[in-house]
Amino acid sequence: ELDAITFSATISAYQKCGKWKSALHVFNVMASGEVEPNVVTFGAVISACGGAAKWREALQLLKEMAQTRVESNTITCNAAISACEKGAKWDHALQFFGLMQDSKLQSNLITYNAAISACEKGG
């Protein structure tokens, strides 16, 4: 039976192989069906897009997350910051870093490293 765990695992497998389009496709199949994406699913697909420097797609997914009332967490925000960092969008990375601080989400070493790296790549 297909459930959120199965979809999330499939998306994560594609993410680890660098196949962000396949990960996004599986996510879209899931979202259009009867299984609702959860924070783990969103985190996996945002990471897949981020790994390929597809920052626009990652940010769109974060927006979709809010629209479907799935609360973001440190992992999803870190994935979005990393996507912006890989896409050389330091300004967006810092914007999300600020939003994390405003929303009281716990920043961690990954958060700080991604934000610093984004600034470094931004010149």
Side-chain angles (χ1 to χ4, degrees):
E1 182 177 315
L2 296 176
D3 59 9
I5 295 169
T6 306
F7 278 106
S8 296
T10 304
I11 291 167
S12 290
Y14 280 127
Q15 181 256 327
K16 287 180 175 82
C17 296
K19 297 186 180 234
W20 71 273
K21 285 184 183 179
S22 296
L24 193 56
H25 174 73
V26 170
F27 176 81
N28 288 331
V29 168
M30 177 188 189
S32 66
E34 293 181 16
V35 181
E36 298 217 6
N38 60 24
V39 68
V40 175
T41 312
F42 273 104
V45 74
I46 291 169
S47 291
C49 292
K54 298 298 179 185
W55 63 273
R56 283 189 183 97
E57 289 82 351
L59 299 187
Q60 181 58 41
L61 287 160
L62 210 56
K63 207 181 279 187
E64 188 175 327
M65 206 175 159
Q67 291 169 345
T68 57
R69 292 191 169 86
V70 175
E71 270 192 56
S72 59
N73 61 17
T74 301
I75 295 168
T76 55
C77 287
N78 285 348
I81 291 170
S82 291
C84 293
E85 175 256 325
K86 287 179 179 64
K89 294 295 178 183
W90 64 269
D91 52 339
H92 292 305
L94 290 184
Q95 181 181 7
F96 278 102
F97 179 77
L99 290 173
M100 277 184 79
Q101 306 311 304
D102 293 346
S103 66
K104 306 290 189 232
L105 283 175
Q106 186 68 43
S107 300
N108 59 22
L109 188 59
I110 295 168
T111 312
Y112 295 114
N113 283 339
I116 291 167
S117 182
C119 292
E120 179 183 48
K121 289 179 181 178

